Amino acid sequence: MSLKDALETCAAKAISLLDENIQDESLYLLFEWNTTRADLTIVVTDGRKQQDADIKVCTHFVQLQQELQSLPENEQQEKISATNELVKFLLSDYLASCSTFFRYSLVAIFHSSTRDNSQLL
């Protein structure tokens, strides 16, 4: 399965759980990408990004993690940066055509560092 397919599968799963996850204070569908571990966590959260819904969708990309860790350190940072941008782009591209997501009043955001550095998708 390609990275694109895997990301889309995870996003679709998270979106399929929105009915169960949305609470009165929910504002964001947050995509948290940890490049070091090649993990994606998707969660519904409030406006302060502190009160998460109970159900999270998480996935770990073992092959990508191994690939990143096998690079020399000088190449690793460049590849990490490029991977962050690719993941962000692929998720944004998927959400742009996901009619199910548009039924909800949530803002999709992404970060690859901290929740305070989240960006709109």
Side-chain angles (χ1 to χ4, degrees):
M1 179 181 280
S2 71
L3 178 62
K4 178 182 186 293
D5 291 340
L7 290 170
E8 289 179 359
T9 299
C10 293
K13 179 64 175 176
I15 291 167
S16 76
L17 297 168
L18 288 178
D19 282 340
E20 299 172 51
N21 258 345
I22 292 181
Q23 303 161 2
D24 288 341
E25 58 279 342
S26 297
L27 178 61
Y28 297 115
L29 180 60
L30 175 61
F31 294 82
E32 297 183 284
W33 176 249
N34 182 312
T35 308
T36 306
R37 295 190 319 254
D39 288 337
L40 177 66
T41 302
I42 307 170
V43 65
V44 174
T45 192
D46 68 331
R48 294 177 305 156
K49 303 174 209 150
Q50 295 177 349
Q51 187 175 353
D52 294 350
D54 291 335
I55 303 170
K56 296 179 180 183
V57 174
C58 305
T59 192
H60 178 69
F61 297 86
V62 176
Q63 184 177 357
L64 180 58
Q65 180 187 25
Q66 291 170 347
E67 178 185 324
L68 290 170
Q69 290 176 344
S70 70
L71 293 171
E73 191 152 335
N74 62 330
E75 293 176 29
Q76 199 174 46
Q77 280 306 100
E78 188 176 313
K79 179 69 174 180
I80 285 172
S81 181
T83 301
N84 291 349
E85 289 303 312
L86 178 61
V87 169
K88 181 182 169 189
F89 170 78
L90 292 172
L91 290 169
S92 179
D93 189 54
Y94 174 75
L95 289 174
S97 61
C98 181
S99 60
T100 305
F101 176 68
F102 291 123
R103 290 191 276 155
Y104 298 91
S105 296
L106 292 174
V107 177
I109 58 175
F110 172 88
H111 82 77
S112 59
S113 58
T114 67
R115 288 183 175 200
D116 290 336
N117 293 322
S118 299
Q119 305 168 339
L120 291 174
L121 280 178

